[in-house]
Amino acid sequence: MSLADFVRGLPKAELHMHIEGSLEPELMFALAARNRIDLPFKSVEAVRAAYAFSNLQDFLDIYYQGAQVLQTEADFQDLAMAYFRRLAADGGVHAEMFFDPQTHTDRGLPFSVAINGLLAGMAQAERELGVTSKLILCYLRHLDEDAAFATLKAAEPWLDRIAGVGLDSSEVGHPPSKFARVFEASRAAGLKLVAHAGEEGPPAYVWEALDLLKVDRIDHGNRSLEDARLTERLVAEGMTLTVCPLSNLKLCVVDDLAAHPLKRMLDLGLKATVNSDDPAYFGGYLLDNYLRTAEAVGLTRAELVTLAKNSFAGSFLDDADKAARIAQIDAYAAAN
Ligand code: ADE
Ligand code: ZN
């Protein structure tokens, strides 16, 4: 069996994917027409040509602009279903999906629109594709903590359908410490906690995410490797890192995929996982991230199996579901 077929057939979970970052240019144009919104681009090709980024902020500017075509619950449901179809085609069976409510409420949409549409898409994906999912609400870190508190308050009627909260957007200059109180309140509300840290920001931000936010997972975490004591701690705690190789390439976190630290992370004993981050912008969905990285850094089939197992072990599924998925992977690996 080819490596592509082997990895496609491996059950996988995706733990780091921003649903607004799965908006393909074709759907962007279709939603702009449906909602009578003018786009600053003439064609799908012109949109794709604009996806040349030299850092995170370059990307965020265009990503927030693209999200403006999302206006109705049906738009968010269609967006989610388009992603789930791609995930299913890649052999993904479970996703823990980020959304950025402030991107939508700040342009006048009621909080209910994005979340109701996404929940409808998640239910449809489970019915039609057998793909399960959970929702993670991200606070935008370039805004202040009061705005994050207002978002947590707006989310109250849906708290039983939100698995956790995260922290995303412009990292440098917006350390985790800025959000310590709202993470404490989120934990008290029964939510799991994750945060982007160490993508562009220094190892000190990863320490803060652990010590001040008390996160359950680190999103990215690449720069942790600059600090041996931090790396030891992450290994000792079995902390999951949601690593995004094609994102790292597109946002110039690495110069070249061959220089990506994923293999080094596994060698060090870190619980790394592979994820697509913003697949419509970064040139690949889940399977592409596995395969292109495997080719670039030379991952063995055993390492690819470990990555898939890590994706379930680090998920927010309950222990019985995790064990069942890991047993399924072991059976698949033994048979192939
Ligand atoms: N929002 C969407 N993708 C992001 C990323 N990779 N880092 C920070 N914020 C994001
Ligand atoms: Zn991200």
Side-chain angles (χ1 to χ4, degrees):
M1 190 191 301
S2 71
L3 191 67
D5 287 343
F6 177 76
V7 180
R8 189 180 296 104
L10 202 50
K12 298 173 292 298
E14 174 144 76
L15 305 181
H16 184 158
M17 192 285 306
H18 305 258
I19 194 64
E20 295 90 347
S22 72
L23 177 63
E24 290 287 344
E26 289 80 1
L27 184 57
M28 191 188 293
F29 271 88
L31 295 182
R34 190 151 106 181
N35 295 321
R36 298 190 177 76
I37 289 171
D38 278 331
L39 285 176
F41 301 105
K42 286 226 167 349
S43 65
V44 162
E45 293 69 35
V47 178
R48 287 222 163 80
Y51 293 175
F53 314 115
S54 42
N55 55 41
L56 174 59
Q57 193 61 48
D58 274 1
F59 154 69
L60 290 170
D61 292 343
I62 206 161
Y63 158 88
Y64 293 131
Q65 184 182 59
Q68 293 181 24
V69 302
L70 297 160
Q71 293 286 335
T72 66
E73 290 185 17
D75 297 344
F76 283 93
Q77 181 172 357
D78 290 351
L79 176 68
M81 271 309 289
Y83 164 71
F84 285 125
R85 285 193 192 95
R86 299 273 203 153
L87 183 68
D90 280 358
V93 298
H94 177 70
E96 301 190 350
M97 176 167 96
F98 295 135
F99 79 120
D100 287 343
Q102 289 157 293
T103 298
H104 314 302
T105 54
D106 282 5
R107 59 191 171 84
L109 292 193
F111 184 89
S112 58
V113 170
I115 193 161
N116 284 343
L118 295 174
L119 290 167
M122 293 162 69
Q124 187 183 352
E126 186 151 3
R127 263 191 333 265
E128 294 181 7
L129 305 168
V131 172
T132 60
S133 57
K134 292 182 184 285
L135 200 51
I136 299 176
L137 178 165
C138 281
Y139 301 123
L140 295 181
R141 70 201 304 159
H142 67 273
L143 302 177
D144 63 25
E145 194 183 37
D146 285 347
F149 268 113
T151 303
L152 177 59
K153 179 89 189 139
E156 263 172 19
W158 287 272
L159 284 185
D160 57 338
R161 283 152 288 171
I162 298 174
V165 298
L167 187 64
D168 67 358
S169 192
S170 319
E171 186 181 7
V172 174
H174 302 286
S177 53
K178 186 177 157 185
F179 296 92
R181 287 143 299 260
V182 77
F183 267 64
E184 176 62 42
S186 304
R187 174 182 289 277
L191 297 165
K192 299 281 192 187
L193 309 176
V194 302
H196 285 55
E199 180 185 19
E200 288 187 344
Y205 285 21
V206 181
W207 283 107
E208 283 191 10
L210 297 172
D211 289 334
L212 303 181
L213 304 189
K214 303 186 166 52
V215 293
D216 297 293
R217 297 197 292 249
I218 295 284
D219 295 318
H220 295 292
N222 298 45
R223 292 195 58 194
S224 307
L225 299 185
E226 295 169 22
D227 179 336
R229 240 176 19 94
L230 175 58
T231 302
E232 276 168 32
R233 165 143 179 216
L234 293 167
V235 171
E237 291 186 2
M239 180 62 59
T240 296
L241 304 184
T242 64
V243 181
C244 305
L246 293 178
S247 164
N248 294 156
L249 181 64
K250 279 293 251 187
L251 300 186
C252 306
V253 169
V254 295
D255 296 334
D256 181 344
L257 211 48
H260 195 279
L262 184 67
K263 189 177 172 71
R264 200 145 48 91
M265 288 171 167
L266 292 177
D267 290 344
L268 288 163
L270 288 162
K271 298 283 186 214
T273 61
V274 169
N275 306 274
S276 68
D277 205 4
D278 299 283
Y281 292 87
F282 299 150
Y285 284 76
L286 187 61
L287 183 60
D288 279 334
N289 272 275
Y290 272 85
L291 293 177
R292 289 187 53 194
T293 313
E295 182 173 38
V297 306
L299 298 176
T300 64
R301 290 193 186 206
E303 286 168 328
L304 291 160
V305 166
T306 296
L307 288 164
K309 285 188 184 182
N310 289 351
S311 75
F312 291 104
S315 75
F316 297 142
L317 289 167
D318 65 31
D319 287 346
D321 286 339
K322 287 186 193 187
R325 287 300 188 186
I326 290 168
Q328 194 187 358
I329 293 174
D330 281 330
Y332 177 84
N336 289 284

